Amino acid sequence: MFGISFSELLLVGLVALLVLGPERLPGAARTAGLWIGRLKRSFNAIKQEVEREIGADEIRRQLHNEHILSLEQEARKILSPVQEPVAEHSIAPAPAADTAPTPKEPVPAPTASPAPHDPTLPPRAP
């Protein structure tokens, strides 16, 4: 993890033996092991808590997004106008390149036909 080799650990052990002495070294090693174990457990607990919170936040975000999408779909269903079928128009083929276009009569503009009278509306003025 930190890149400590066996020779470095041996050197630390020899210094601890010289500083603490043979009587106190086993107790100090046991105490150091307990503290290291507690630190590892604490870090793992914090790590799991953070991962759980991140997972919970992600789940909340997904549920919120799904709720928004369902509301959007409902709104589109309600607000979308009724689609009427579109009549297919036939398209005339383009004239051949070797023939000149023939003049056509002008097409009169379509006139507005009166809409059928709805009995729920008031009568129209002429």
Side-chain angles (χ1 to χ4, degrees):
M1 185 164 112
F2 292 109
I4 299 174
S5 66
F6 180 73
S7 61
E8 292 170 341
L9 286 175
L10 187 61
L11 179 63
V12 169
L14 284 175
V15 171
L17 180 62
L18 292 174
V19 171
L20 297 175
E23 299 87 27
R24 294 189 304 179
L25 184 61
R30 189 176 312 116
T31 305
L34 290 174
W35 279 101
I36 290 173
R38 288 179 187 168
L39 284 173
K40 283 184 177 182
R41 283 190 297 275
S42 296
F43 283 131
N44 284 336
I46 291 170
K47 179 181 168 185
Q48 289 175 353
E49 181 76 25
V50 168
E51 288 176 353
R52 188 174 24 250
E53 285 296 319
I54 288 173
D57 287 344
E58 184 66 29
I59 290 170
R60 277 190 220 110
R61 192 175 307 119
Q62 286 176 354
L63 289 174
H64 181 70
N65 289 345
E66 289 175 5
H67 179 68
I68 289 174
L69 286 175
S70 66
L71 289 176
E72 181 182 357
Q73 288 173 351
E74 289 177 19
R76 284 186 182 176
K77 286 179 185 176
I78 293 170
L79 297 177
S80 66
V82 177
Q83 299 277 335
E84 294 183 13
V86 178
E88 293 185 23
H89 299 287
S90 61
I91 300 174
D98 60 340
T99 61
T102 57
K104 295 183 179 180
E105 295 181 22
V107 178
T111 58
S113 62
H117 180 66
D118 187 2
T120 59
L121 295 177
R124 286 187 268 171

